[in-house]
Amino acid sequence: MKNLVNDGGNVTVPAPYDVASGEGVLVGALFGVAQTAALSGTPVVLELGGTYDLAKAGSQAWALGAQIYWDAAARLCTTTDTGNTAIGKAVLAVGGSAAETVGRVVLT
């Protein structure tokens, strides 16, 4: 098919800020996980699907299957929907202690 540009698994966009490999990135309403590190304004490939361990709000416990949102200001995952962008579901339960700052998310 000559009009196919990409199979949909990833997309290259200008990094909206300096990003590290494996970090969540929100560009407008498009969320993905950076394949590599990139400086602000340079191209970065975002993975749009899959399951990832991502930074989360340490004060929140997650239940298996909980709706997960991206807090663009804090650049981390949260269960708080107000003002945040839905990105996926929690695939592991995780506690809410300050030390528990990583959650496993399947992107949807």
Side-chain angles (χ1 to χ4, degrees), residues 8 18 30 33 45 79 90:
D18 292 354
L30 179 68
V33 176
V45 177
T79 55

PDB file of all heavy atoms in Angstrom, residues 8 18 30 33 45 79 90:
ATOM      1  N   GLY A   8       1.744   2.275  13.002  1.00  0.00           N
ATOM      2  CA  GLY A   8       0.957   2.708  14.157  1.00  0.00           C
ATOM      3  C   GLY A   8       1.554   2.380  15.505  1.00  0.00           C
ATOM      4  O   GLY A   8       1.034   2.795  16.530  1.00  0.00           O
ATOM      5  N   ASP A  18      13.217  18.218  27.324  1.00  0.00           N
ATOM      6  CA  ASP A  18      14.263  17.195  27.379  1.00  0.00           C
ATOM      7  C   ASP A  18      13.662  15.932  27.977  1.00  0.00           C
ATOM      8  O   ASP A  18      13.017  15.995  29.041  1.00  0.00           O
ATOM      9  CB  ASP A  18      15.445  17.657  28.242  1.00  0.00           C
ATOM     10  CG  ASP A  18      16.231  18.806  27.619  1.00  0.00           C
ATOM     11  OD1 ASP A  18      15.949  19.179  26.466  1.00  0.00           O
ATOM     12  OD2 ASP A  18      17.128  19.325  28.307  1.00  0.00           O
ATOM     13  N   LEU A  30      -1.417  13.473  22.434  1.00  0.00           N
ATOM     14  CA  LEU A  30      -0.709  12.254  22.053  1.00  0.00           C
ATOM     15  C   LEU A  30       0.271  11.865  23.152  1.00  0.00           C
ATOM     16  O   LEU A  30       1.165  12.641  23.490  1.00  0.00           O
ATOM     17  CB  LEU A  30       0.040  12.490  20.744  1.00  0.00           C
ATOM     18  CG  LEU A  30       0.860  11.327  20.198  1.00  0.00           C
ATOM     19  CD1 LEU A  30      -0.060  10.194  19.757  1.00  0.00           C
ATOM     20  CD2 LEU A  30       1.707  11.797  19.033  1.00  0.00           C
ATOM     21  N   VAL A  33       5.818   6.642  25.081  1.00  0.00           N
ATOM     22  CA  VAL A  33       7.024   6.449  25.890  1.00  0.00           C
ATOM     23  C   VAL A  33       8.222   6.598  24.966  1.00  0.00           C
ATOM     24  O   VAL A  33       8.292   5.968  23.903  1.00  0.00           O
ATOM     25  CB  VAL A  33       7.007   5.062  26.572  1.00  0.00           C
ATOM     26  CG1 VAL A  33       8.291   4.824  27.338  1.00  0.00           C
ATOM     27  CG2 VAL A  33       5.798   4.954  27.502  1.00  0.00           C
ATOM     28  N   VAL A  45      11.283   9.288  19.061  1.00  0.00           N
ATOM     29  CA  VAL A  45      10.311   8.258  18.698  1.00  0.00           C
ATOM     30  C   VAL A  45       9.546   7.867  19.955  1.00  0.00           C
ATOM     31  O   VAL A  45      10.142   7.503  20.971  1.00  0.00           O
ATOM     32  CB  VAL A  45      11.006   7.015  18.089  1.00  0.00           C
ATOM     33  CG1 VAL A  45       9.986   5.925  17.794  1.00  0.00           C
ATOM     34  CG2 VAL A  45      11.763   7.403  16.834  1.00  0.00           C
ATOM     35  N   THR A  79      -3.725   8.587  39.390  1.00  0.00           N
ATOM     36  CA  THR A  79      -5.113   8.131  39.267  1.00  0.00           C
ATOM     37  C   THR A  79      -6.077   9.305  39.298  1.00  0.00           C
ATOM     38  O   THR A  79      -7.282   9.109  39.201  1.00  0.00           O
ATOM     39  CB  THR A  79      -5.465   7.135  40.394  1.00  0.00           C
ATOM     40  OG1 THR A  79      -5.185   7.751  41.658  1.00  0.00           O
ATOM     41  CG2 THR A  79      -4.688   5.842  40.258  1.00  0.00           C
ATOM     42  N   ALA A  90      -3.628   0.348  35.031  1.00  0.00           N
ATOM     43  CA  ALA A  90      -2.625  -0.279  35.890  1.00  0.00           C
ATOM     44  C   ALA A  90      -2.709  -1.789  35.709  1.00  0.00           C
ATOM     45  O   ALA A  90      -3.800  -2.358  35.725  1.00  0.00           O
ATOM     46  CB  ALA A  90      -2.871   0.078  37.351  1.00  0.00           C
TER      47      ALA A  90
END
